[in-house]
Amino acid sequence: MPRIEVDQIAPVNTTGYPLPYGHAVAQRWYRRLGPASDLTDFGVSHVVLKPGAASSQRHWHEDEDEFVVMLAGQAVLVEDGARTPMGPGDMAAFPKGVPNGHQLCNESDADCVFLAIGRPASSDCHYPDIDLHLSGGVYRRKDGSLF
Amino acid sequence: MPRIEVDQIAPVNTTGYPLPYGHAVAQRWYRRLGPASDLTDFGVSHVVLKPGAASSQRHWHEDEDEFVVMLAGQAVLVEDGARTPMGPGDMAAFPKGVPNGHQLCNESDADCVFLAIGRPASSDCHYPDIDLHLSGGVYRRKDGSLF
């Protein structure tokens, strides 16, 4: 049946971020729906942010579009010089190459849930707030040194 | 601002379906969010189905994945030998090449709203219930004749 039974997919909270940058997403619990439903054209992640958790470090991709839609709860979309409340049904788009780092932060006292759609990151990803850069699938400091 | 102001995008109800097959989607009002927000990796359509309307004729694509998530209201996912109720937060995936025609039908007495994610159709699309076939971007009868 094409309907996705989310509860049948185990959520994970793994991250490739080196410490200490992984702490911000330790309570980001996500399910990759693409592999669970044989989609390959694009990826869909179902994400639950516990109170205090962030969707990611604030970042932008050179060559991957991203799209999010809120399904439940409240989050704050943080970007350069702006904080935008996001509630159920609210959507945001992050076109590739726009150098405006973004993240969703759950500053409420209840879980929030959103979907994130995109392609696997293969281009460089920039993190304006922290000493981190992703290139060739490897996280390094901005001076190129490895963690 | 990356947040999408849906109400600022005019909905349309146009369809490429020849008559009489367009009648089923006459009350399908959609907004293409990709062009409105500079996304090109994939398409996102915000769709409102009025009572009685369908998302499409029942169909399946040879080479395009599709994904839907319900945002409001109630619909019925119709596929081969199955009818599945879909409400807010419910999702369904339709991997390319799976020969199981699908559509969402609003059989309720209120609007329903969903997002559809996919790529523009460039492969053949099959319509199991009606005398229609899409190939090379052109709708024909199953015998190849034009409408």
Side-chain angles (χ1 to χ4, degrees), chain A residues 1-4 6 33 37-42 64-65 67 79 84-86 91-96 117 119, chain B residues 1-4 6 33 37-42 64-65 79 84-86 91-96 117 119:
Chain A
M1 183 173 67
R3 190 174 69 181
I4 295 170
V6 168
L33 304 186
S37 54
D38 294 330
L39 300 181
T40 55
D41 283 354
F42 47 85
E64 286 85 30
D65 289 337
F67 176 88
E79 54 181 326
T84 309
M86 299 279 287
M91 300 169 282
F94 309 103
K96 61 183 74 175
I117 290 101
R119 294 187 297 137
Chain B
M1 185 172 67
R3 190 173 71 181
I4 295 169
V6 168
L33 304 186
S37 54
D38 294 329
L39 300 182
T40 55
D41 284 354
F42 47 85
E64 286 86 29
D65 290 335
E79 52 181 330
T84 308
M86 299 279 287
M91 299 170 283
F94 309 103
K96 61 183 76 174
I117 290 104
R119 294 186 297 137

Side-chain angles (χ1 to χ4, degrees), chain A residues 2 9 23 29 58 60-61 71 78 98 100 115 117 122 127 141:
Chain A
I9 305 169
H23 292 316
W29 291 88
R58 204 161 71 87
W60 61 273
H61 296 283
L71 297 185
V78 180
V98 175
N100 186 349
L115 296 183
I117 290 101
S122 60
Y127 298 85
R141 298 184 185 87

Side-chain angles (χ1 to χ4, degrees), chain A residues 124-137:
Chain A
D124 281 24
C125 187
H126 300 260
Y127 298 85
D129 300 332
I130 57 178
D131 188 17
L132 188 71
H133 185 79
L134 177 67
S135 185

